[in-house]
């Protein structure tokens, strides 16, 4: 019965999404490329504000019902007009749709494995789904309570009606990822020039190479930051002569971007600066309406950010969070020698060509410079790619300076000294850097055709037979390379899915299950996990975080061996012993002291005076 109810709710969710897509498409006359990301971002922002108001579930229900009403209204209008059902898909739409479906299906076969899923992103979502509310200071399961909940709000909305499984969480985030990529194709206006889509597909496929540390098969948001900014670039460029419409579409995208992560405000600022720049360079008289639209967009996009900041200052007043340490205090903590050591390691890491971010920066710098020279000298064309390179280089330098400041003045010493998270931070900005250049190159390429589609008959749309041959060969080359890159990413994700049975989360879930409690009441029992310390899975707290997530229990500790003289004292402090992995020494000790044949499972710890007994549950 519950499965049928879940299936029905999932179908209603799909129709609700479809209702919004059709409604927005009709009312705002948006191209299909911008419609999904606009709808998904708007829903995420609405649910987020509902969460701030303490009405997370009610707000989600309102969104679902309004979407269903929009779908019913669109069907009614369609039937009233008596129009025939026509589905017209171009070759590029078919290719993108097929590729997206394949990757979404693969994501649906994956489960969570990354450390940070269990230390924050997944456990926050699990608590939201369990309590139908944002975490509070009493949420003992959440260590980093200052992380914004923009993406979590959208995932909550999808999982609330479509199911709580880890695969559904990944699928929901996949919708956001592919909606952003779809939006990037909106920079192309000549829809019948397949070379433009093939070239853009090739360029955007390379982004997966730099995203290897933050693959899409997890709930980490580092990849969403740059691709949301790239989607804003595409929208602003497409509507550069219609700023009011550009502002309407950008508003929810930039608003959500500010609450994706604490660094989201940086990427939102980059997108909004491009909006302002485009407005100023395309000024029309009288321009007060466009000016008002831009100002309102800038203010509106910051509302989610200030809403979250207000929550941190009121609801979480006095709660210390990650990186919430005063500059003065950190200057006292880090000595000049330590700061020099951090700077030295940072500079070495930034220019280390064995790392993907540094390699990507160098490759794109060289390719863009060579392409710009070739186009100017040989083809006698004026491209704006070199201008984009200069602008993105400035962004790159400022971003890296900001990361260095983070390590020096905001991050605790034990993490800063080894540049914790550096590759993820660097990958985010390199994806933006490379993606921005690809978008600009696609626009320049579109402007370089001798004829524009529609100016002359299709058979005369090329300067010569030779250029038509180059065009066809270009399509083949770009498509082949793009497919190769995407197959590499596909095979990587499939390989991870197939190897899930060897992962620690699988081993723990096989013992504990994935527990969901009605009303979100936490399991306050005390758990002691036992396993080997392979890959430092216990000492780096990975096993404990996975245990917290699956048990929905805040009191979880880990151990890798027993000391015989202290076994009774140790076990007496816990309610349960969870054996994830066994070894001969532990088996011998448990057999000797508690007459237990040690195996994977949960043992109830019973105390009777000075006596300790274990019973397998």
């Amino acid at each position: 019965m519950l499965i049928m109810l879940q299936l029905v709710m999932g179908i209603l969710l799909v129709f609700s999404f479809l209702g919004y897509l059709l409604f927005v498409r009709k009312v705002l006359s948006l191209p299909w490329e911008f419609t999904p990301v606009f709808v998904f971002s708007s829903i995420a922002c609405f649910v987020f504000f509902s969460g701030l108001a303490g009405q997370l579930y009610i707000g989600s229900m309102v969104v679902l019902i309004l979407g269903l009403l929009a779908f019913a209204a669109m069907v009614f209008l369609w039937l009233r007009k008596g129009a025939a059902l026509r589905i017209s898909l171009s070759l590029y739409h078919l290719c993108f749709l097929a590729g997206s479906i394949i990757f979404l299906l693969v994501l649906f076969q994956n489960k969570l494995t990354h450390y940070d899923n269990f230390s924050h992103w997944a456990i926050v979502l699990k608590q939201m789904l369990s309590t139908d509310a944002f975490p509070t200071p009493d949420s003992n399961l959440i260590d980093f309570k200052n992380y914004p909940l923009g993406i979590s709000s959208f995932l909550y909305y999808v999982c609330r009606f479509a199911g709580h499984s880890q695969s559904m969480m990944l699928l929901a985030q996949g919708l956001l990822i592919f909606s952003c990529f779809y939006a990037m194709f909106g920079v192309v206006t000549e829809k019948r020039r397949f070379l433009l889509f093939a070239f853009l597909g090739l360029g955007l496929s390379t982004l997966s190479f730099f995203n290897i540390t933050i693959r899409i098969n997890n709930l980490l948001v580092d990849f969403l930051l740059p691709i949301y900014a790239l989607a804003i670039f595409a929208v602003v460029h497409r509507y550069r002569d219609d700023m009011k419409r550009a502002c309407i579409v950008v508003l929810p995208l930039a608003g959500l971007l500010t609450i994706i992560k604490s660094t989201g405000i940086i990427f939102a600022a980059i997108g909004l600066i491009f909006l302002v720049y485009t407005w100023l360079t395309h000024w029309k008289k009288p321009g007060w309406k466009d000016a008002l639209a831009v100002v309102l967009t800038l203010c509106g996009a910051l509302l989610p950010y200030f809403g979250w900041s207000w929550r941190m200052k009121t609801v979480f007043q006095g709660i210390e969070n990650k990186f919430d340490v005063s500059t003065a205090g950190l200057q006292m903590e880090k000595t000049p020698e330590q700061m020099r050591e951090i700077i030295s390691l940072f500079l070495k890491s930034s220019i280390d060509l064995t790392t993907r971010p540094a390699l990507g920066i160098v490759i794109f710098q060289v390719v863009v410079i060579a392409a710009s020279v070739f186009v100017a000298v040989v083809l006698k064309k004026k491209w704006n790619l070199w201008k984009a390179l200069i602008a993105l280089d400035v962004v790159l330098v400022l971003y890296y300076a900001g990361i260095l400041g983070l390590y020096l003045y905001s991050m605790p010493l034990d993490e800063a000294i080894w540049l914790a998270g550096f590759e993820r931070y660097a990958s985010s900005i390199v994806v933006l850097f490379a993606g921005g250049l690809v978008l600009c190159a696609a626009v320049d390429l579109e402007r370089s055709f001798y004829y524009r589609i529609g100016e002359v008959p299709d058979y005369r749309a090329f300067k010569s037979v030779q250029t038509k041959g180059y065009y066809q060969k270009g399509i083949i080359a770009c498509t082949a390379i793009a497919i190769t890159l995407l197959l590499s990413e596909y095979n990587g994700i499939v390989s991870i899915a197939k190897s899930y049975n060897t992962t620690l989360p699988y081993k723990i879930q096989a013992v504990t299950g994935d527990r969901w409690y009605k009303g979100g009441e936490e399991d306050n029992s005390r758990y002691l996990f036992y396993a080997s310390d392979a890959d430092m899975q216990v000492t780096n707290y990975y096993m404990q975080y996975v245990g917290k997530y699956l048990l929905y229990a805040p009191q979880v500790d880990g151990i890798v061996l027993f000391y015989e003289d202290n076994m009774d004292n140790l076990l007496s402090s816990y309610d349960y012993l969870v054996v994830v992995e066994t070894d001969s020494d532990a088996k011998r000790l448990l057999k000797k002291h508690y007459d237990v044949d040690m195996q994977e499972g949960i043992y109830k710890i019973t105390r009777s005076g000075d006596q300790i007994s274990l019973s397998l549950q």
Side-chain angles (χ1 to χ4, degrees):
M1 186 63 181
L2 289 176
I3 296 177
M4 287 300 298
L5 178 61
Q6 194 77 76
L7 179 61
V8 170
M9 293 304 297
I11 294 173
L12 291 177
L13 177 67
V14 171
F15 281 119
S16 180
F17 275 142
L18 187 57
Y20 282 118
L21 293 173
L22 295 173
F23 181 80
V24 168
R25 167 79 170 164
K26 181 176 180 59
V27 173
L28 297 182
S29 298
L30 295 183
W32 276 117
E33 288 86 353
F34 299 148
T35 305
V37 72
F38 175 81
V39 168
F40 295 158
S41 301
S42 300
I43 289 174
C45 289
F46 186 88
V47 175
F48 173 79
F49 282 115
S50 299
L52 290 182
Q55 303 296 330
L56 191 59
Y57 178 71
I58 294 177
S60 299
M61 283 298 299
V62 169
V63 173
L64 179 71
I65 293 171
L66 290 178
L68 291 173
L69 292 175
F71 178 77
M74 298 307 297
V75 171
F76 174 77
L77 291 176
W78 174 67
L79 293 174
R80 187 177 180 181
K81 291 180 179 179
L85 179 61
R86 292 185 302 172
I87 300 177
S88 178
L89 294 176
S90 65
L91 179 59
Y92 122 76
H93 277 110
L94 286 173
C95 292
F96 186 87
L97 185 62
S100 299
I101 290 175
I102 290 172
F103 273 96
L104 290 175
L105 289 176
V106 173
L107 283 180
F108 199 65
Q109 299 173 12
N110 275 258
K111 291 188 178 181
L112 304 176
T113 56
H114 195 285
Y115 182 98
D116 284 351
N117 288 314
F118 302 102
S119 67
H120 180 73
W121 300 109
I123 190 63
V124 166
L125 180 57
K126 187 171 186 176
Q127 183 162 77
M128 290 170 62
L129 289 166
S130 299
T131 62
D132 290 318
F134 281 175
T136 66
D138 298 327
S139 302
N140 297 318
L141 286 161
I142 313 301
D143 286 347
F144 312 124
K145 299 180 176 68
N146 61 333
Y147 281 26
L149 300 176
I151 300 302
S152 299
S153 296
F154 181 79
L155 302 189
Y156 166 86
Y157 174 71
V158 173
C159 295
R160 165 50 59 212
F161 303 113
H164 297 172
S165 69
Q166 297 177 18
S167 299
M168 186 57 66
M169 297 175 184
L170 292 172
L171 180 63
Q173 184 145 313
L175 292 176
L176 293 175
I177 292 172
F178 286 98
S179 69
C180 287
F181 277 110
Y182 190 33
M184 294 178 210
F185 284 90
V187 298
V188 177
T189 56
E190 292 199 38
K191 302 300 183 184
R192 293 161 68 181
R193 296 279 193 187
F194 190 75
L195 175 62
L196 298 174
F197 296 109
F199 173 80
L200 196 53
L202 166 61
L204 297 180
S205 297
T206 62
L207 301 186
S208 64
F209 176 80
F210 307 109
N211 187 47
I212 199 71
T213 58
I214 42 176
R215 284 187 186 271
I216 63 175
N217 62 329
N218 60 71
L219 300 184
L220 277 67
V221 299
D222 303 80
F223 190 47
L224 280 166
L225 294 172
I227 62 176
Y228 250 93
L230 292 173
I232 292 176
F233 288 171
V235 171
V236 173
H237 171 76
R238 180 67 174 270
Y239 290 122
R240 58 194 180 278
D241 296 320
D242 187 357
M243 290 308 300
K244 292 188 287 296
R245 191 177 297 274
C247 289
I248 291 173
V249 182
V250 165
L251 180 58
L253 275 67
L256 180 58
L257 187 49
T258 65
I259 50 172
I260 288 180
K261 196 178 181 180
S262 55
T263 52
I265 190 68
I266 299 174
F267 289 86
I270 294 171
L272 292 173
I273 288 173
F274 183 65
L275 173 69
V276 173
Y277 169 81
T278 304
W279 163 56
L280 293 176
T281 54
H282 290 76
W283 181 276
K284 294 180 180 179
K285 294 183 179 181
W288 69 269
K289 291 184 179 180
D290 286 350
L292 180 61
V294 171
V295 171
L296 290 176
T297 300
L298 296 177
C299 296
L302 293 175
L303 285 179
Y305 175 79
F306 287 123
W308 183 252
S309 299
W310 169 81
R311 180 177 174 81
M312 287 296 99
K313 292 179 181 178
T314 54
V315 178
F316 291 93
Q317 186 176 13
I319 302 295
E320 184 175 308
N321 288 291
K322 192 174 183 180
F323 307 153
D324 284 357
V325 186
S326 66
T327 302
L330 281 164
Q331 286 176 333
M332 294 286 290
E333 181 184 343
K334 294 186 179 76
T335 64
E337 292 77 13
Q338 290 169 337
M339 296 182 78
R340 283 195 292 271
E341 183 180 352
I342 293 171
I343 293 173
S344 176
L345 180 59
F346 180 86
L347 293 176
K348 290 179 181 178
S349 301
S350 300
I351 61 175
D352 183 3
L353 294 182
T354 62
T355 62
R356 291 175 186 255
L359 182 62
I361 292 172
V362 171
I363 290 176
F364 272 88
Q365 295 275 0
V366 172
V367 170
V368 168
I369 292 173
S372 298
V373 172
F374 176 80
V375 168
V377 175
V378 178
L379 301 182
K380 308 297 183 183
K381 299 283 185 180
K382 291 184 178 180
W383 278 21
N384 293 321
L385 189 57
W386 64 272
K387 297 179 182 178
L389 178 63
I390 294 174
L392 289 169
D393 275 335
V394 172
V395 170
L396 200 65
V397 171
L398 293 177
Y399 183 85
Y400 269 88
I403 298 177
L404 179 58
L406 170 71
Y407 288 118
L408 292 176
Y409 302 113
S410 296
M411 189 174 287
L413 177 62
D414 59 340
E415 295 187 24
I417 203 69
W418 59 277
L419 302 184
F422 172 78
E423 193 165 358
R424 289 216 323 257
Y425 296 143
S427 294
S428 292
I429 196 61
V430 172
V431 168
L432 177 68
F433 174 77
L437 292 174
V438 169
L439 291 179
C440 184
V443 171
D444 284 336
L445 182 62
E446 183 179 42
R447 291 171 176 165
S448 299
F449 285 105
Y450 196 76
Y451 295 110
R452 292 186 64 86
I453 294 292
E455 291 181 347
V456 294
D458 289 354
Y459 67 90
R460 293 178 53 197
F462 298 92
K463 183 178 181 180
S464 65
V465 174
Q466 186 179 26
T467 57
K468 184 176 182 179
Y470 292 149
Y471 177 90
Q472 293 170 336
K473 292 175 183 177
I475 291 177
I476 295 173
C478 290
T479 303
I481 299 173
I483 291 176
T484 302
L485 292 172
L486 291 176
L487 278 175
S488 176
E489 179 72 3
Y490 171 84
N491 290 331
I493 297 176
V494 169
S495 176
I496 293 173
K498 289 181 177 179
S499 63
Y500 177 72
N501 290 357
T502 65
T503 64
L504 183 64
Y506 172 82
K507 295 177 182 178
I508 296 178
Q509 186 167 349
V511 174
T512 65
D514 188 0
R515 303 183 183 184
W516 293 77
Y517 295 101
K518 188 176 182 180
E521 183 177 350
E522 297 173 357
D523 181 354
N524 289 315
S525 299
R526 295 163 296 177
Y527 291 89
L528 178 65
F529 277 63
Y530 185 92
S532 70
D533 199 25
D535 299 321
M536 299 183 68
Q537 63 187 15
V538 179
T539 54
N540 68 6
Y541 217 69
Y542 180 35
M543 183 175 70
Q544 293 89 314
Y545 275 129
V546 176
K548 283 185 176 184
Y549 174 84
L550 293 173
L551 290 170
Y552 203 70
Q555 301 181 68
V556 174
D557 293 319
I559 190 173
V560 298
L561 57 86
F562 290 111
Y563 293 98
E564 189 169 3
D565 295 340
N566 192 48
M567 288 183 67
D568 285 352
N569 182 51
L570 173 67
L571 294 176
S572 65
S573 302
Y574 296 92
D575 299 309
Y576 295 95
L577 171 66
V578 181
V579 179
V580 179
E581 297 172 342
T582 63
D583 58 65
S584 58
D585 188 57
K587 285 184 176 181
R588 178 184 62 81
L589 290 174
L590 289 188
K591 183 65 175 178
K592 175 181 178 181
H593 289 271
Y594 310 112
D595 194 26
V596 170
D597 293 322
M598 187 180 187
Q599 57 183 289
E600 288 82 3
I602 300 177
Y603 292 84
K604 172 69 176 176
I605 301 174
T606 304
R607 295 173 291 274
S608 179
D610 294 333
Q611 297 297 315
I612 299 293
S613 62
L614 301 179
S615 57
L616 184 63
Q617 300 296 293

